[in-house]
Amino acid sequence: MDMGSNNVGGVDLSRLSQTEKQELQQFVMNEAQKARIQESIHKLTDTCFRKCIPSGAIKKAPLDKYEEPCVKNCVDRFLDANFLVLRELERLRQ
Amino acid sequence: MSAYAGDPKTQIMRQVQQEAAMQNARQLVEKLNEHCFERCVPKPGASLSSGESSCFTACMEKYMTAWNTVSKQYVARIQKESQNQALLN
């Protein structure tokens, strides 16, 4: 957000009270957090779709009994691996 | 809604939310196109065949189901981890 100007998307910021500004700041931080989570979900879906849905044309619509557990495992193992990397880096740092 | 129209704080919040929803939708559309085109149209012909079209329909539904599954699993895991973290601290 451009802090230099008092105008955000046609709204005059100088009309906001101090409390309102703080509320907005909190709101935007929460939204940014949500956006990061959503971004991760998009990336993970991309990765897990490649891994779990056999290549080639798709005939049947929803996930079948092999694909669904595969997608769930894919998410959990991806996060396991993520934590593993963090722990390992932490260990190297010490 | 008109009662809030003049309230600058609410106005900004709504704009931020709309922007986030647009961004989310845009990303989903991009991924749907990318994956389903790759799978359903291996050799692009003069027009989209009926087989390719029905593959697209199935592919889109499959991808969106996968998105929802990933979303639930991811959020559940994040919540579990943050609870564990809270217990440790």
Side-chain angles (χ1 to χ4, degrees):
Chain A
M1 215 179 278
D2 181 11
M3 289 299 178
S5 110
N6 268 341
N7 192 305
V8 175
V11 179
D12 186 3
L13 285 186
S14 60
R15 283 169 61 203
L16 294 173
S17 69
Q18 206 54 41
T19 328
E20 281 181 317
K21 280 182 189 165
Q22 275 169 5
E23 275 175 37
L24 262 186
Q25 200 159 28
Q26 188 58 49
F27 174 82
V28 169
M29 268 161 55
N30 289 346
E31 285 297 312
Q33 167 83 347
K34 272 195 253 171
R36 274 198 300 277
I37 291 176
Q38 218 135 43
E39 172 78 34
S40 310
I41 294 173
H42 280 293
K43 279 201 194 136
L44 260 175
T45 308
D46 184 274
T47 306
C48 297
F49 195 83
R50 279 180 217 282
K51 285 194 190 286
C52 293
I53 283 77
S55 56
I58 286 160
K59 292 178 188 76
K60 250 179 91 254
L63 298 175
D64 68 26
K65 61 174 174 170
Y66 303 107
E67 291 162 348
E68 200 192 336
C70 178
V71 168
K72 287 182 173 175
N73 285 335
C74 175
V75 172
D76 276 324
R77 295 301 79 74
F78 185 89
L79 290 171
D80 285 347
N82 218 328
F83 293 131
L84 187 96
V85 168
L86 289 177
R87 270 203 309 276
E88 191 64 13
L89 285 174
E90 182 65 23
R91 195 182 63 79
L92 289 173
R93 203 170 62 91
Q94 280 160 1
Chain B
M1 255 179 64
S2 57
Y4 290 100
D7 177 1
K9 190 190 79 184
T10 315
Q11 223 170 312
I12 292 177
M13 284 180 171
R14 205 155 41 214
Q15 277 176 20
V16 170
Q17 274 171 336
Q18 266 169 13
E19 187 53 44
M22 268 305 284
Q23 177 67 13
N24 194 34
R26 219 179 285 131
Q27 274 182 326
L28 184 63
V29 171
E30 193 187 302
K31 290 290 172 199
L32 279 172
N33 269 322
E34 190 186 312
H35 280 279
C36 300
F37 191 77
E38 183 74 35
R39 276 155 186 277
C40 297
V41 193
K43 287 192 169 66
S47 67
L48 214 55
S49 73
S50 64
E52 287 165 347
S53 297
S54 61
C55 175
F56 250 91
T57 316
C59 177
M60 283 172 72
E61 200 184 329
K62 214 188 250 297
Y63 196 85
M64 288 191 275
T65 318
W67 198 93
N68 283 327
T69 307
V70 168
S71 179
K72 280 193 207 116
Q73 197 76 3
Y74 184 78
V75 170
R77 178 69 183 267
I78 297 258
Q79 276 167 354
K80 205 186 92 193
E81 295 292 340
S82 66
Q83 270 166 12
N84 287 348
Q85 208 58 40
L87 286 176
L88 285 174
N89 294 330

